[in-house]
Amino acid sequence: GGVYSPSRKTIFLEKLKKNRITILFFTCLCLVVCTLLIGVLVTTLSLTLIDKPFVIPEEPDPNGEFVRNSSEYQITYANIDDWIDRDAMVESYLEVCNRSPLLDISMDDGKFSARIQYKLITSGETRCYNNREIRVRDYISGYNEGTSYVDIKSSSTNLSKACDVPFWPADEYSDDSRQKCETDIHQCKNKFSRETRIFFDEAQELVTCRDLLH
C-alpha cells in the first residue's frame, strides 16, 4: 500500500488550528493573572486607607503666609425646614460622613459659637465711594466669645477679577490679619472670592467710613 501524504493545505489548517488554541490559552491566562493582580492591588489600597485614616492637617500659620489659596464646597439643603432641629440633622449628616473609612468625626469635635453679623453700605457719593462688601462679625457666646473681625470681600466668576485686588491690610494690623483667594464650589458653577480679615480682641462698632480708617 501507498504512504499517506497530506496536502500543503491540510498541514496549514492544522498549524493554524494549533496556533489559535495556543493564543486563546495565553489570552485567558493573561486575563486571569491581570484580574488577580488588580484584586491584590485594590485590597492593598483598601487596607492601607483603613489602617491610615484621614488626618486633618494643622491650620497654616497666618503669619507665615501672604494670601492663602483655599477651596470651599457649598452644600445645598433639599428642605431647609428639616434643619429646625439642627443638632439632629448634624448628627444625621455626620453618620453619613462616617461611612467613609477616611473619617471618624463627632459633635464633640466641633466648635460652637453664636455671633452677630452686619454689613456696611459703602457705595454712593455720600458714603465711601466704593462698592466692595465690608462685613463685621461679633462673637457673643461660645468659641471666640468677646472677639470680632472685619473683612472686605471681592467676588467674581473670573479668577483675576476676584483676586487681583489691593486688599492688603495696614502694617499695624498685618500680624492680626489673614488673606485668602478662594474657590467657591457650587452645585452648578464655581466662583472666586478674595478676602482680607482683621481680627480684634473686642467687639467693634463700625458705622461710617471714618470708623474703617481708624
Side-chain angles (χ1 to χ4, degrees):
V3 178
Y4 172 72
S5 177
S7 66
R8 291 182 178 180
K9 181 178 180 180
T10 302
I11 295 174
F12 172 77
L13 292 176
E14 287 293 332
K15 288 183 177 181
L16 182 61
K17 183 177 180 180
K18 291 180 179 179
N19 288 339
R20 285 179 176 175
I21 294 175
T22 302
I23 293 172
L24 181 61
F25 171 77
F26 281 105
T27 301
C28 293
L29 181 62
C30 288
L31 288 174
V32 171
V33 172
C34 289
T35 302
L36 291 174
L37 289 176
I38 292 173
V40 171
L41 180 61
V42 171
T43 302
T44 303
L45 288 175
S46 299
L47 292 175
T48 301
L49 291 175
I50 293 174
D51 292 340
K52 298 180 179 180
F54 177 75
V55 177
I56 299 176
E58 293 184 4
E59 185 173 346
D61 180 7
N63 296 325
E65 59 184 345
F66 291 106
V67 180
R68 177 187 304 178
N69 293 305
S70 61
S71 297
E72 182 176 272
Y73 293 81
Q74 309 295 329
I75 299 175
T76 301
Y77 301 133
N79 187 353
I80 195 67
D81 292 336
D82 292 340
W83 284 84
I84 293 176
D85 187 350
R86 183 178 180 275
D87 288 349
M89 289 302 295
V90 171
E91 288 284 7
S92 177
Y93 176 76
L94 294 179
E95 189 276 326
V96 174
C97 292
N98 287 332
R99 294 175 188 175
S100 167
L102 303 178
L103 296 175
D104 182 17
I105 51 180
S106 69
M107 293 277 281
D108 294 335
D109 296 320
K111 296 179 179 180
F112 299 88
S113 62
R115 67 191 182 201
I116 297 174
Q117 173 180 305
Y118 60 94
K119 295 180 181 180
L120 300 182
I121 301 175
T122 59
S123 61
E125 60 183 17
T126 60
R127 297 191 177 95
C128 303
Y129 298 91
N130 194 315
N131 61 355
R132 300 300 188 185
E133 177 182 313
I134 297 178
R135 179 178 58 185
V136 183
R137 285 177 171 172
D138 296 327
Y139 288 85
I140 59 176
S141 67
Y143 180 69
N144 281 337
E145 179 180 356
T147 67
S148 70
Y149 69 78
V150 181
D151 63 34
I152 183 170
K153 188 174 184 178
S154 172
S155 298
S156 175
T157 55
N158 181 279
L159 175 62
S160 179
K161 289 182 178 180
C163 294
D164 294 346
V165 289
F167 283 176
W168 294 92
D171 290 342
E172 61 184 293
Y173 295 114
S174 179
D175 291 341
D176 298 313
S177 68
R178 183 178 301 168
Q179 302 184 64
K180 66 178 179 179
C181 178
E182 186 168 83
T183 303
D184 294 319
I185 302 173
H186 294 259
Q187 183 176 2
C188 298
K189 64 177 181 179
N190 298 342
K191 69 180 184 69
F192 304 94
S193 63
R194 168 78 157 84
E195 184 180 275
T196 295
R197 293 181 178 180
I198 299 177
F199 299 88
F200 298 92
D201 292 331
E202 65 283 330
Q204 300 296 302
E205 185 175 349
L206 304 177
V207 180
T208 67
C209 296
R210 183 174 296 275
D211 295 329
L212 294 175
L213 294 175
H214 291 290

